[in-house]
Amino acid sequence: MTQLDIDALKSTLKDRAPGPFHLAELYGADWDQFYIGDKVKIGHAFLNAVRAGKLPGVIDTGTKKGGGRLYLWKPKGLYGNPGGL
């Protein structure tokens, strides 16, 4: 995942309400245009970026539900999260 991709996702997250989400929700309608193999690659790159701390405030819940891996958006200052954007 390039820095441009990460920056675009951070921008989308800033406007998002705190709570759980799937990666497809951040991409919006564009997500449906990807081939399944590309979705898998993007999803893996996103998970790696989250685990590496490149998206502060995004937490991998470690669960899959209703459309893929579930993440949690907890921006800075909410729920005692010291990280965040």
Side-chain angles (χ1 to χ4, degrees), residues 24-47:
E25 296 169 33
L26 295 184
Y27 269 88
D30 291 342
W31 186 255
D32 293 329
Q33 305 304 313
F34 295 128
Y35 293 107
I36 187 65
D38 292 332
K39 289 178 181 179
V40 171
K41 288 178 190 175
I42 293 167
H44 188 64
F46 183 77
L47 175 60

Side-chain angles (χ1 to χ4, degrees), residues 19-21 23 43 46-47 50 58-61 69-73:
F21 70 93
L23 177 57
F46 183 77
L47 175 60
V50 168
V58 176
I59 298 165
D60 171 23
T61 66
R69 185 171 289 273
L70 194 61
Y71 295 93
L72 183 61
W73 171 231

